[in-house]
Amino acid sequence: WTSPKNVELICRKLCDALCEKDPDNADTYKANTDSYIEKLEKLDNQFRDVVKNAKRKEIIVGDRFPFRYFADEYGLSYYAAFPGCSSDTDASAATIAFLTDKVIADGIPVVFHIELSNAKVCDTICEQTGAKSELLNAVHNISKEDFEAGVTYIDLMEHNVDVLKIALN
């Protein structure tokens, strides 16, 4: 789900399943799916444009890394404090040192953390390097406030477009 292209596939499969179960409303499901896929395609194009025009193609995530499909889709290299959705709670000193050295050596301006994280590792790296801490939303958790405000996948991913522009330039 961190790759809008994968979300397109998911939406099409869901639409097909709904149309099969409820053929009387198939036209509505298809129209809504087509409309949403237009938004996903626009989002995908925004990410592609950011990466195409970027100075660098590398991101540092001082947190868990649920962005593998995203990174692969857009040709980004990455380094993270924890693999995938690891249940580890503390990064090793060696990992923090490696990421800190990487930020300095590669002139990385932004270190990311994910939503609802304590961001301790990210903050430590930023304190040591002067990099800016930013949220890269993995869109699998939202706060109660965001839920009540009606924040959507598209909203969260548009935020990611904006912070990726900063991180890659």
Side-chain angles (χ1 to χ4, degrees):
W1 63 87
T2 58
S3 163
K5 290 309 240 182
N6 285 351
V7 174
E8 285 183 38
L9 296 172
I10 293 167
C11 286
R12 289 188 194 285
K13 293 286 187 185
L14 287 171
C15 179
D16 291 347
L18 289 169
C19 290
E20 184 179 313
K21 296 286 184 190
D22 184 14
D24 292 344
N25 291 301
D27 289 343
T28 300
Y29 298 135
K30 289 176 184 175
N32 289 342
T33 300
D34 290 344
S35 174
Y36 196 69
I37 286 176
E38 283 181 28
K39 293 176 185 177
L40 292 169
E41 288 172 345
K42 178 182 175 193
L43 188 62
D44 176 62
N45 287 333
Q46 289 174 307
F47 280 119
R48 290 187 191 287
D49 187 55
V50 167
V51 172
K52 177 181 157 194
N53 295 303
K55 282 192 328 191
R56 65 182 56 79
K57 309 279 192 255
E58 173 185 42
I59 59 173
I60 305 291
V61 179
D63 213 321
R64 288 161 181 76
F65 192 79
F67 301 101
R68 177 67 191 272
Y69 289 104
F70 178 84
D72 289 351
E73 183 69 42
Y74 299 109
L76 297 172
S77 61
Y78 57 89
Y79 298 90
F82 305 101
C85 293
S86 168
S87 62
D88 292 340
T89 56
D90 291 311
S92 70
T95 296
I96 294 171
F98 171 80
L99 293 174
T100 299
D101 290 347
K102 194 76 175 140
V103 168
I104 293 168
D106 295 352
I108 303 295
V110 171
V111 177
F112 291 114
H113 62 88
I114 64 173
E115 71 275 11
L116 305 180
S117 163
N118 66 21
K120 287 190 313 188
V121 174
C122 180
D123 291 345
T124 298
I125 296 166
C126 290
E127 288 168 10
Q128 297 298 314
T129 64
K132 184 177 179 184
S133 171
E134 285 286 352
L135 167 69
L136 187 62
N137 204 301
V139 295
H140 64 277
N141 291 303
I142 61 170
S143 68
K144 179 181 179 194
E145 294 80 19
D146 284 346
F147 179 79
E148 289 173 351
V151 172
T152 68
Y153 174 87
I154 299 294
D155 296 329
L156 297 173
M157 292 299 277
E158 285 176 342
H159 164 85
N160 287 352
V161 168
D162 293 339
V163 295
L164 202 61
K165 283 179 192 174
I166 298 166
L168 297 180
N169 289 305

